[in-house]
Amino acid sequence: MSRSLSSPLSRRSVLATTAAAATAAAVGPLATATAAHAAPTLPDGTSKDKVLVVGMDGLRHDVIAAANAPHLKSMMASGTYGTSLLYANPMAATSSGPGWSTISTGVWPDKHGVKENSFADKDYAKYPGFLARLAQVRPQLSTYAAVDWKPLDAQGTVTPGADAKLVLDGDRDGYTGHDATIAAETESVLRNQNPDVLFVYFGQTDIVGHNSGAASTAYRKAIDVQDGYLGRLLTAIRARPSYATERWTVIVTTDHGHTDSGGHGGSAIEERRTFVLAQGPGIAAGARPSDTRLVDVAATVFQQLGIVPDPAWGLDGKPVQERSTDPFEALYPQLKARVDETGIPAGVLGWTHTAPSGWSVVNSAMGTGGVTEWRGWSFATDEFWSRSQRDQSRELNVRSRGIFAVADSDEWDDKASSGPYDSALVTPAYAVGGKRTVTLDLTTHYRQEGGQSARILASWNGGTPVEVKRYTADVISQPQTLTLDVPSGAANVSFRFHYTGSNNWYWVIDAVKVTAS
């Protein structure tokens, strides 16, 4: 085994095993891998709050139930487990480069710039990984990373900022025993040293997914093996002499899914499946949130270490224990199965026309007929709406969480209809008396075409709505802020989202918040 160490003046060190050593480890049991490699030496940790992030490449969460995986299932029972769907092209492919970049940086590909595995437009300088960020803001922490897909190190995705790192030589696909080595050396670090934050990568599920498909017995067995490695790490944590005085958080996640036959990179639901599983202080046991996203890993790391992110970091994520509070989240009991949509499985409950309390939908000018689910403003989940039609950028609605409002004239017109698509979503009246300004915050995902229109109107004291914003170009899943002066004598204001079209595109809004000051 060869080691490459940084300058003695630096706190950061590197451990890299050779391809020959990794190959030798691949043919032997875990004990052999342990004997063949010595774990790197880390500086002594300084924090009682500690975090282990375990990345399992290409792990389809819906296959876990069919596997044995006792440690993953135990974490699901004792922690918070949120599933979600990835983006697809043109934002980014459902590939490892974009996926691990999203996990590490806590921002979506339209910020970190990684669209596929060439890493051509990466912007880690502006959006570094969480280990690099910790090295900037909490350099006294002892940090460690272990990977065997070389781009995670060579491209600067995960390992920069680590005090010590294990990077196995050679391409992962050529050395299928690296997971055993990574597990053994990380177990040694956990038992015998005092790390604060660790990132550990297991890649065999992705290899088997490519070779045998996610519907195969081999894939389920690969999950079982990786689950065993996870169990060894959890046991090592609990065996630490100082464990009783430490506060450990363990996060398990994946970068993308796999098709049943094997492969990923496209827009199929199976390729887009991801999850974040977390267990630790302040993280609810048995929770199954519907508003978790892949960008939440980095934010959760910071939260568990007591670090408040600087708004200048531009994080898209939030801690897994933090729930979305917009009014649409109250609609889960109202969600229904498909009516006219044929491409959505019958068991997926994901849409309703019932508006939240205090809200209303005005369809007085709406045409007749059309697809039932999308007649006027509807409320839907990402799983339901993005299944309605692939590859029309519905997959890019990444900043919406849970349930969102959608006006979709394109899908509505897929069944015989008469007249225009004309629908308005109206908020409750918000008190503004005695205030100087009122601010409307929301997330918008909008595609412009032809003669359609998307307008925001304000009604003061219940008067005639006045246009205050009009969309005339695409806005791909972006936060929006609109601040208005409060007219003299105004006691309240309501907002109206008015969309018209004729087999055009769609408008999504979410995270609506109104504040007066």
Side-chain angles (χ1 to χ4, degrees), residues 62-77:
D62 58 323
V63 183
I64 294 175
N68 289 328
H71 304 292
L72 285 168
K73 292 176 181 178
S74 176
M75 281 189 64
M76 291 175 189

Side-chain angles (χ1 to χ4, degrees), residues 247-287:
R247 297 174 292 273
W248 276 93
T249 296
V250 179
I251 303 169
V252 184
T253 190
T254 193
D255 55 335
H256 55 71
H258 260 284
T259 62
D260 283 350
S261 59
H264 57 86
S267 60
I269 289 290
E270 293 74 20
E271 298 168 275
R272 297 173 58 209
R273 293 204 183 281
T274 61
F275 69 92
V276 179
L277 170 60
Q279 175 186 12
I283 297 175

Side-chain angles (χ1 to χ4, degrees), residues 80-105:
T80 292
Y81 174 54
T83 63
S84 63
L85 297 176
L86 276 180
Y87 41 74
N89 283 317
M91 179 175 284
T94 50
S95 300
S96 290
W100 293 116
S101 298
T102 299
I103 290 166
S104 184
T105 63

Side-chain angles (χ1 to χ4, degrees), residues 184-203:
E185 296 199 10
T186 303
E187 181 183 14
S188 177
V189 168
L190 287 167
R191 285 183 178 273
N192 302 314
Q193 300 189 56
N194 187 26
D196 293 319
V197 183
L198 308 90
F199 176 88
V200 179
Y201 170 88
F202 295 131

Side-chain angles (χ1 to χ4, degrees), residues 55-391:
M56 297 186 174
D57 201 302
L59 177 53
R60 260 223 350 235
H61 64 74
D62 58 323
V63 183
I64 294 175
N68 289 328
H71 304 292
L72 285 168
K73 292 176 181 178
S74 176
M75 281 189 64
M76 291 175 189
S78 59
T80 292
Y81 174 54
T83 63
S84 63
L85 297 176
L86 276 180
Y87 41 74
N89 283 317
M91 179 175 284
T94 50
S95 300
S96 290
W100 293 116
S101 298
T102 299
I103 290 166
S104 184
T105 63
V107 301
W108 293 111
D110 57 359
K111 288 184 179 178
H112 63 62
V114 180
K115 296 183 177 181
E116 28 69 39
N117 287 351
S118 75
F119 295 82
D121 298 314
K122 64 182 181 182
D123 191 2
Y124 298 145
K126 185 173 182 180
Y127 301 106
F130 63 80
L131 290 178
R133 188 73 78 181
L134 291 175
Q136 295 172 356
V137 302
R138 194 75 68 82
Q140 66 271 30
L141 293 175
S142 177
T143 58
Y144 170 79
V147 303
D148 77 340
W149 189 48
K150 293 296 288 293
L152 298 181
D153 176 61
Q155 294 292 344
T157 307
V158 170
T159 62
D163 288 311
K165 59 184 180 180
L166 168 66
V167 182
L168 297 178
D169 287 346
D171 182 79
R172 179 191 65 209
D173 293 346
Y175 304 100
T176 58
H178 288 176
D179 287 0
T181 305
I182 288 172
E185 296 199 10
T186 303
E187 181 183 14
S188 177
V189 168
L190 287 167
R191 285 183 178 273
N192 302 314
Q193 300 189 56
N194 187 26
D196 293 319
V197 183
L198 308 90
F199 176 88
V200 179
Y201 170 88
F202 295 131
Q204 192 67 12
T205 36
D206 188 54
I207 295 170
V208 175
H210 282 290
N211 293 340
S212 302
S216 67
T217 300
Y219 186 76
R220 294 193 296 275
K221 289 182 177 179
I223 295 175
D224 293 344
V225 172
Q226 283 184 186
D227 182 82
Y229 295 144
L230 172 64
R232 293 178 69 97
L233 301 185
L234 296 175
T235 298
I237 289 173
R238 290 190 290 267
R240 291 171 54 79
S242 53
Y243 175 70
T245 63
E246 295 172 343
R247 297 174 292 273
W248 276 93
T249 296
V250 179
I251 303 169
V252 184
T253 190
T254 193
D255 55 335
H256 55 71
H258 260 284
T259 62
D260 283 350
S261 59
H264 57 86
S267 60
I269 289 290
E270 293 74 20
E271 298 168 275
R272 297 173 58 209
R273 293 204 183 281
T274 61
F275 69 92
V276 179
L277 170 60
Q279 175 186 12
I283 297 175
R288 297 289 187 271
S290 299
D291 60 344
T292 299
R293 289 288 204 172
L294 200 60
V295 288
D296 295 343
V297 173
T300 304
V301 172
F302 298 136
Q303 170 76 15
Q304 297 305 96
L305 294 171
I307 295 171
V308 179
D310 187 329
W313 297 357
L315 293 185
D316 289 320
K318 62 178 180 60
V320 294
Q321 58 266 55
E322 183 180 303
R323 300 278 65 80
S324 298
T325 57
D326 75 62
F328 307 141
E329 298 306 288
L331 297 178
Y332 281 100
Q334 311 299 328
L335 295 180
K336 298 184 289 187
R338 70 185 190 197
V339 176
D340 293 328
E341 286 285 0
T342 59
I344 301 172
V348 176
L349 305 179
W351 78 280
T352 181
H353 280 145
T354 301
S357 177
W359 291 62
S360 61
V361 175
V362 179
N363 285 337
S364 55
M366 185 76 192
T368 60
V371 174
T372 299
E373 290 90 329
W374 314 117
R375 187 174 187 276
W377 279 96
S378 302
F379 307 92
T381 65
D382 191 32
E383 174 91 12
F384 193 90
W385 184 58
S386 65
R387 276 182 179 269
S388 66
Q389 181 64 55
R390 284 170 55 180
D391 300 322

Side-chain angles (χ1 to χ4, degrees), residues 4-30:
S4 173
L5 297 179
S6 61
S7 164
L9 297 177
S10 172
R11 198 166 179 268
R12 309 285 158 188
S13 63
V14 178
L15 170 69
T17 66
T18 65
T23 304
V27 299
L30 187 57

